[in-house]
Amino acid sequence: MIQITQVTDVVRKYTDEIGEEDVGKKIRLCGWVHEVRDHGGLVFVILRDREGFIQVTLPKKKVKPEVFKRAKKVHRESVVEVIGTVKAEPKAPGGYEVIPEEFKVLNEADAPLPLDVAEKVPAELDTRLDHRFLDLRKPRVQAIFRIRHCMLQSVRNFLCEEGFIEVNTPKIVSTATEGGTELFPISYFEKEAFLNQSPQLYKQVLMGAGLERVFEIGPIFRAEEHNTVRHLNEAISIDIEASFVDHEGVMRVLEKLVSRVYEDVCEKCEKYLNWLDVKLDVPEVPFERISYDEAIEIASKKGESIPWGEDISTTALKLIAEELPEHYFIVDWPTKSKPFYAMPYEDKPEVCKSFDLMCGYLELASGAQRIHFYDKLVERIRECGMSPESFGFYLEAFKYGMPPHSGWGLGADRLLMSILKLKNIREGVLFPRDRNRLIP
RNA sequence: GCCCGGGUGGUGUAGCCCGGCCUAUCAUGCGGGCCUGUCGAGCCCGCGACUCGGGUUCAAAUCCCGACCCGGGCGCCA
């Protein structure tokens, strides 16, 4: 790694890089004061950086008086730079400690802190989110985002290997695209515009453009006033669209992707999983597939009946999850319960080639084979009570050679939530946006 | 949006049902003191709080009404 700041000739080490080879050598440590344990003539400063902790030990008689004095007075969470000698010490946590010759307070932290980074006293999620930068200093919280990083990298790697091209579509759009969800209106010079609810229409247009396989990882915005542990008003969606592939084809991509993410997280994030005390089992593919009819049958037997054609209620999904606690697909949904672009079966048009990927009761993804015929699409838009005129640029792409195609959208925040069994989706989002939260 | 539960020092809590003994508990933190092997350091001293507005009452953290905020469930959400 490039040493970005060359403050001294002494090499900077992360706390987890210190080992036998460093014993007796001089190193530079940069980080935050996690705790100070002052024994009078002997002071322990626990220094924390991105990768962990190291004990800086200051015996009064073995360090410079000003260094000793500074360490004794330093506040928790102050930023410090320590230059010192590594010593193997069985009594030190981790087996190594650093005896400082320099102890610089680069920036003193105010006291008291708005929340306890050392986690001796818990803080409520709301308090934590109000002071998120401090909350994020907790190793357990940071672990979530290190795993999130790994997850997204895994998704990119996998999709690239499968021949998908990463694209970026606009988030500011002109029309209330697909119906259904509420949109956030914004002003766009003299025009009215909206924040996009999904890249759906654009990724389909890219099928018309002949890119054949695309994916996008980007934000989606939904102005629904939902107030649950699994909904956000700004979320990150992982979307794919693929040409000359049916719904079953993209389901296979999806289940393989999910299993690949688990593999990569297990392999590369052992340390962070340990910090979180999470043990992962890589889910086996293929995932179980049940039809919509079978799903509502299970719910019905457990006392929650869903009229055919309706969406499956949360209560019903929780009952189904009792039978299917892990990953499974619900396939063959009623056409009227899905958006206009889902392809109905030729022989049974009331059912469409669509699917939801579930993890227990949590919906992770939904997708379908799309209608690729212009006339059929216009007909469905009308049937759904919308006006084809408002779909100008989208519909045009279907007139001049649109291949058959399928795709899905997978909620990145939900995927992380399901992997780490987070109780609240906000835990896995740096700065969540919900019905009430716009700051920070 | 609806239903339930809640709002007490910087943080997390006890007290509320059954109003007065609350000058409000405990922990952590913060300030000061002692201490050379801590690892949730220990010991001693100190600091710091009843969400806001109305009402009932001799008396309100406690009961009632309203507002705001939070948590959970549901709804909404392809």
Side-chain angles (χ1 to χ4, degrees):
Chain A
M1 197 185 292
I2 299 164
Q3 294 279 123
I4 296 165
T5 43
Q6 198 68 34
V7 180
T8 69
D9 293 334
V10 186
V11 172
R12 187 208 167 171
K13 288 253 183 183
Y14 281 115
T15 55
D16 70 338
E17 295 173 324
I18 295 163
E20 206 47 49
E21 69 281 3
D22 299 302
V23 173
K25 287 195 184 134
K26 201 194 286 183
I27 62 158
R28 185 161 73 100
L29 294 166
C30 298
W32 287 260
V33 173
H34 191 68
E35 276 182 277
V36 181
R37 288 194 272 274
D38 184 353
H39 290 238
L42 177 67
V43 178
F44 300 106
V45 174
I46 310 302
L47 182 146
R48 186 192 67 242
D49 65 16
R50 194 175 90 169
E51 305 299 340
F53 304 96
I54 188 80
Q55 177 167 287
V56 178
T57 303
L58 300 101
K60 191 172 185 177
K61 290 177 181 164
K62 291 181 185 163
V63 298
K64 290 182 215 158
E66 69 269 22
V67 164
F68 187 75
K69 208 169 141 192
R70 236 176 274 144
K72 236 174 153 48
K73 289 196 119 167
V74 73
H75 283 143
R76 295 158 80 213
E77 297 307 319
S78 296
V79 184
V80 293
E81 178 185 27
V82 172
I83 292 167
T85 309
V86 178
K87 189 181 154 196
E89 175 54 70
K91 281 179 278 188
Y96 300 98
E97 62 185 15
V98 172
I99 313 294
E101 79 186 37
E102 292 288 347
F103 188 99
K104 282 189 207 157
V105 179
L106 300 181
N107 209 160
E108 181 76 4
D110 224 340
L113 299 162
L115 54 83
D116 178 17
V117 178
E119 289 195 284
K120 283 179 197 164
V121 181
E124 286 191 2
L125 185 58
D126 193 50
T127 308
R128 293 172 46 204
L129 293 175
D130 280 343
H131 310 281
R132 191 55 150 164
F133 73 98
L134 268 181
D135 185 54
L136 285 161
R137 289 189 192 171
K138 298 172 186 168
R140 289 162 50 82
V141 177
Q142 225 164 80
I144 294 171
F145 294 94
R146 300 297 287 269
I147 291 165
R148 186 180 169 113
H149 161 73
C150 177
M151 172 187 92
L152 290 173
Q153 200 173 31
S154 176
V155 166
R156 276 207 170 81
N157 290 155
F158 175 79
L159 290 174
C160 291
E161 285 164 23
E162 292 296 318
F164 287 83
I165 296 164
E166 183 163 9
V167 298
N168 299 285
T169 63
K171 302 306 151 204
I172 301 172
V173 297
S174 71
T175 53
T177 47
E178 306 156 48
T181 192
E182 292 291 317
L183 302 182
F184 287 109
I186 58 169
S187 81
Y188 192 76
F189 306 109
E190 71 283 0
K191 292 174 186 150
E192 189 187 36
F194 301 91
L195 294 176
N196 208 175
Q197 65 177 109
S198 113
Q200 182 62 36
L201 305 186
Y202 288 95
K203 61 183 185 168
Q204 284 195 262
V205 167
L206 294 175
M207 295 303 97
L211 295 184
E212 292 211 18
R213 288 180 166 220
V214 300
F215 78 99
E216 175 165 18
I217 301 173
I220 55 170
F221 305 91
R222 295 178 183 191
E224 295 296 335
E225 301 205 359
H226 33 46
N227 188 217
T228 78
V229 292
R230 60 190 183 283
H231 285 92
L232 294 164
N233 292 290
E234 176 178 356
I236 300 298
S237 177
I238 301 161
D239 268 89
I240 75 156
E241 205 65 30
S243 293
F244 308 109
V245 174
D246 66 8
H247 60 301
E248 179 57 41
V250 289
M251 283 164 71
R252 279 184 219 142
V253 172
L254 179 53
E255 63 192 353
K256 214 173 150 201
L257 169 71
V258 170
S259 125
R260 168 70 174 273
V261 166
Y262 273 78
E263 277 172 26
D264 285 345
V265 170
C266 281
E267 189 194 328
K268 294 170 186 162
C269 294
E270 201 188 343
K271 172 174 159 184
Y272 305 114
L273 290 169
N274 285 338
W275 283 4
L276 287 166
D277 209 18
V278 169
K279 283 180 184 65
L280 285 191
D281 293 316
V282 178
E284 277 186 35
V285 289
F287 297 158
E288 192 165 340
R289 283 134 166 85
I290 63 166
S291 67
Y292 169 87
D293 289 0
E294 287 167 323
I296 61 172
E297 176 67 19
I298 293 170
S300 166
K301 277 185 185 157
K302 288 171 172 279
E304 176 82 0
S305 57
I306 305 286
W308 196 91
E310 297 291 302
D311 204 355
I312 305 175
S313 69
T314 308
T315 312
L317 287 173
K318 286 183 175 172
L319 294 170
I320 295 163
E322 289 173 3
E323 308 297 310
L324 297 156
E326 298 297 326
H327 297 90
Y328 62 99
F329 285 107
I330 301 177
V331 302
D332 300 343
W333 289 73
T335 303
K336 66 174 178 179
S337 74
K338 288 288 175 187
F340 66 84
Y341 47 75
M343 177 72 96
Y345 282 97
E346 291 79 8
D347 53 342
K348 205 181 174 194
E350 67 276 18
V351 176
C352 64
K353 299 180 178 180
S354 64
F355 57 88
D356 279 9
L357 172 64
M358 310 296 298
C359 181
Y361 82 99
L362 190 67
E363 181 189 329
L364 296 182
S366 86
Q369 181 173 160
R370 325 298 191 185
I371 295 170
H372 57 286
F373 298 115
Y374 180 86
D375 292 342
K376 178 77 188 155
L377 198 53
V378 169
E379 184 190 319
R380 283 291 297 137
I381 289 171
R382 288 218 174 90
E383 277 172 18
C384 290
M386 291 179 287
S387 146
E389 287 71 44
S390 60
F391 288 91
F393 81 90
Y394 172 68
L395 281 174
E396 191 194 15
F398 289 77
K399 278 169 107 171
Y400 305 100
M402 174 64 87
H405 60 280
S406 304
W408 44 253
L410 163 66
D413 315 287
R414 290 244 178 125
L415 179 61
L416 183 69
M417 182 184 183
S418 66
I419 292 170
L420 297 179
K421 303 273 181 270
L422 302 176
K423 295 223 165 63
N424 191 317
I425 196 163
R426 294 162 182 78
E427 296 263 5
V429 179
L430 289 171
F431 301 105
R433 289 288 172 266
D434 62 35
R435 178 64 187 85
N436 299 306
R437 186 174 286 280
L438 193 54
I439 295 169

